[in-house]
């Protein structure tokens, strides 16, 4: 099984619909993130969570919400989907930063391709 | 304007040639990482650099972190078709485990 699992892998939805993307991890990491990827723009941070009780907005959180149901689960919701939310969505986890040892990096899921029509 | 600018955006070369991808910023980063992403998959971490001037080698890949920790480069020697993919740089400004990504460089190595 993958360390970070995202469901669904592909989804087509209509404008105005509510949709939830789910992410679960077996890494045992406290830190989880949601990014969206658009061609030429790299990955942009939507929300992140450093533990179950901690939720933080990223650079593009408008139109999105998240829920951290457990250490291993972090879901992303689009309350009322719009076409410019069509993108590839990635969930990631990481170890905490340890000063002097560098940053261990993210483990990404395989992504959810979302199309809003 | 993105915090991290990658160049070029697209690179097409023949197998056996060398290539260099650049990642530049006006900001200082506590660490910088390089990822490779293949179609249908998430990015996979290649390397982390944390010290200004640091050079790391991973087989045919050489990564350098600028002295001022504002820029980085990835050099591939004798590229192979398996090096084809999207290369992403990502920086952590405040040692807070929150990465900012560049726009990516799409590399195509032709046989």
């Amino acid at each position: 099984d993958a360390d970070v699992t995202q469901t669904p892998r592909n989804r087509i939805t209509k404008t105005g619909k509510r949709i939830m993307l789910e992410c679960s991890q077996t890494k045992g990491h406290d830190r989880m993130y949601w990014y969206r990827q658009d061609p030429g723009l790299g990955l942009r941070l939507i929300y992140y969570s450093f533990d179950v009780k901690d939720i933080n907005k990223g650079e593009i959180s408008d139109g999105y919400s998240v829920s951290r149901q457990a250490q291993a689960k972090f879901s992303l919701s689009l309350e009322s989907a719009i076409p410019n939310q069509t993108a590839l969505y990635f969930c990631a986890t990481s170890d905490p930063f340890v000063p002097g040892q560098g940053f261990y990096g993210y483990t990404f899921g395989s992504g959810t391709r979302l199309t809003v029509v | 304007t993105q915090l991290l600018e990658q160049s070029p955006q697209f690179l097409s070369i023949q197998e056996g040639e060398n290539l260099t991808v650049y990642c530049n910023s006006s900001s200082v980063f506590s660490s910088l990482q390089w990822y490779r992403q293949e179609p249908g998959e998430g990015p996979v971490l290649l390397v982390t650099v944390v010290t200004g001037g640091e050079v790391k080698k991973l087989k045919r890949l050489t990564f350098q972190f600028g002295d001022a920790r504002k820029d980085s480069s990835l050099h591939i020697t004798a590229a192979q078709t398996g090096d084809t993919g999207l290369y992403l740089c990502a920086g952590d400004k405040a040692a807070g485990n929150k990465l900012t990504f560049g726009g990516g460089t799409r590399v195509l190595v032709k046989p």
Side-chain angles (χ1 to χ4, degrees):
Chain A
D1 287 345
D3 292 328
V4 181
T5 302
Q6 291 185 235
T7 56
R9 287 298 308 272
N10 292 281
R11 181 73 181 267
I12 301 174
T13 192
K14 293 184 178 180
T15 298
K17 292 290 187 181
R18 183 179 188 276
I19 183 168
M20 180 182 290
L21 309 183
E22 300 191 12
C23 176
S24 63
Q25 53 116 343
T26 58
K27 299 283 288 184
H29 290 162
D30 286 326
R31 301 184 173 208
M32 298 186 74
Y33 312 80
W34 276 104
Y35 282 84
R36 67 175 276 175
Q37 185 174 36
D38 300 278
L41 295 179
L43 287 90
R44 292 181 292 165
L45 183 61
I46 306 172
Y47 271 95
Y48 62 102
S49 169
F50 283 178
D51 65 43
V52 175
K53 296 181 181 179
D54 176 74
I55 300 289
N56 303 281
K57 292 183 177 180
E59 58 183 304
I60 54 164
S61 59
D62 287 349
Y64 301 94
S65 63
V66 291
S67 174
R68 185 79 185 267
Q69 300 95 327
Q71 186 206 39
K73 296 184 182 295
F74 192 34
S75 60
L76 175 72
S77 294
L78 286 68
E79 298 301 326
S80 179
I82 56 177
N84 76 0
Q85 290 178 313
T86 292
L88 195 51
Y89 289 85
F90 286 101
C91 174
T93 72
S94 76
D95 274 322
F97 176 81
V98 178
Q101 295 188 25
F103 177 37
Y104 291 99
Y106 288 5
T107 300
F108 282 88
S110 296
T112 293
R113 184 169 296 281
L114 177 66
T115 303
V116 183
V117 298
Chain B
T1 302
Q2 289 193 278
L3 188 62
L4 279 167
E5 296 285 343
Q6 285 188 239
S7 61
Q9 288 186 305
F10 178 70
L11 197 52
S12 177
I13 60 170
Q14 294 295 134
E15 195 169 29
E17 293 181 341
N18 301 332
L19 69 98
T20 302
V21 176
Y22 299 94
C23 177
N24 294 296
S25 177
S26 57
S27 299
V28 175
F29 291 93
S30 61
S31 66
L32 198 140
Q33 305 185 335
W34 285 92
Y35 291 79
R36 181 168 67 210
Q37 183 180 12
E38 299 188 20
E41 298 298 328
V44 175
L45 179 67
L46 295 173
V47 76
T48 300
V49 286
V50 296
T51 305
E54 182 177 4
V55 177
K56 281 192 174 179
K57 292 194 174 186
L58 187 66
K59 295 184 181 177
R60 294 175 295 99
L61 279 61
T62 301
F63 304 86
Q64 185 161 8
F65 201 13
D67 291 342
R69 290 185 289 126
K70 293 182 179 181
D71 55 85
S72 180
S73 63
L74 157 61
H75 182 79
I76 301 179
T77 303
Q80 300 176 355
T81 56
D83 295 324
T84 292
L86 178 68
Y87 289 82
L88 295 156
C89 66
D92 181 10
K93 285 189 69 177
N97 285 113
K98 189 159 58 75
L99 289 179
T100 298
F101 283 81
T105 295
R106 193 163 296 280
V107 172
L108 173 63
V109 182
K110 295 180 284 189

